[in-house]
Amino acid sequence: MAALTAQNQPKPDGTSKPDRSDRPDRNPKQDRSRATRQRLLEAAVSCLAEHGWAGSTVSVVAERAGVSRGAAQHHFPTREDLFTAAVEYVAEERSQALRAVPTDDREEAVAALVGLYTGPLFRAALHLWVAASGEEQLRERVTELEARVGRESHRIAVEVLGADESRPGVRETVQGLLDMARGLGLATLLTDDRARRERVVSQWARLVNEALSED
């Protein structure tokens, strides 16, 4: 007879211990650690969007995340570590938002693309750009990630707009739309002229639709 395994050896009362070999491994400590890291990254992005680089210290981010400064430094030993990770987080969040842009209505897609450049994620990215211009440790990482996000933004814009880049002028039309969206995003740093922006976007949507439509 095969020997009893440690999992099902009889207990003193004669019953067998339950076999836990098929139960999924769970590590509450790792779960808490991941949750803390996520809160810190979200808080870093929010602080950048609201206060810029100068006002976004590790202490400010930790307070917003609801964790101690020590806990924040456990995950990100330096300020540069924290905001380099925030760069990656912002890049991924922006990419996910781009993938969710609707594709069934071209004018709606234009408005959604512009919205991505006038919201808090883009505002945080702008502050990272400014910070990177004077922070050597951030510059290379920010430049690399923004180049990747820029390429992906253009590729997804082409997809959601149903643009045929083999036609003359179409690639430039898509790029012009994204450049215009960035410009509106820059303008929102100073004022929130939403009504004017909506009129501009509506006109651009008509122009883009005409430029991309088949003759």
Side-chain angles (χ1 to χ4, degrees), residues 21-175:
S21 60
D22 60 345
R23 294 187 180 182
D25 293 333
R26 292 192 59 82
N27 190 324
K29 186 175 181 179
Q30 288 183 353
D31 291 344
R32 289 194 299 272
S33 179
R34 283 192 291 268
T36 298
R37 179 184 174 86
Q38 179 72 13
R39 289 203 306 273
L40 285 166
L41 292 174
E42 291 174 352
V45 172
S46 296
C47 286
L48 278 171
E50 294 178 20
H51 307 301
W53 174 256
S56 300
T57 64
V58 174
S59 295
V60 169
V61 172
E63 182 177 359
R64 172 164 292 204
V67 305
S68 68
R69 180 184 173 89
Q73 290 181 314
H74 171 74
H75 288 275
F76 307 104
T78 69
R79 188 183 187 211
E80 287 72 24
D81 290 335
L82 172 59
F83 287 100
T84 296
V87 172
E88 297 175 348
Y89 177 74
V90 168
E92 180 56 31
E93 289 293 297
R94 286 169 62 196
S95 294
Q96 289 183 14
L98 281 166
R99 297 183 194 109
V101 169
T103 60
D104 55 342
D105 185 290
R106 187 172 280 162
E107 293 191 13
E108 184 180 352
V110 168
L113 285 167
V114 172
L116 294 176
Y117 286 91
T118 54
L121 285 176
F122 186 70
R123 178 182 287 264
L126 287 176
H127 285 297
L128 285 170
W129 294 354
V130 174
S133 68
E135 294 284 337
E136 189 67 33
Q137 291 178 315
L138 284 176
R139 187 180 306 155
E140 182 178 353
R141 189 63 172 163
V142 171
T143 301
E144 174 191 341
L145 286 171
E146 280 304 319
R148 175 170 63 80
V149 172
R151 290 191 298 270
E152 186 167 11
S153 298
H154 185 95
R155 179 182 61 77
I156 294 176
V158 168
E159 291 178 3
V160 300
L161 293 171
D164 179 4
E165 289 195 298
S166 67
R167 295 171 56 206
V170 168
R171 180 175 179 81
E172 290 74 17
T173 297
V174 174
Q175 192 59 59

Side-chain angles (χ1 to χ4, degrees), residues 110-111 113-119 122-123 126 176-202 204:
V110 168
L113 285 167
V114 172
L116 294 176
Y117 286 91
T118 54
F122 186 70
R123 178 182 287 264
L126 287 176
L177 167 63
L178 296 177
D179 288 344
M180 182 273 295
R182 291 189 190 94
L184 291 175
L186 284 168
T188 61
L189 288 177
L190 298 176
T191 59
D192 184 14
D193 191 359
R194 196 165 305 177
R196 182 189 67 85
R197 186 170 73 234
E198 288 176 355
R199 292 194 299 271
V200 171
V201 171
S202 179
W204 260 88

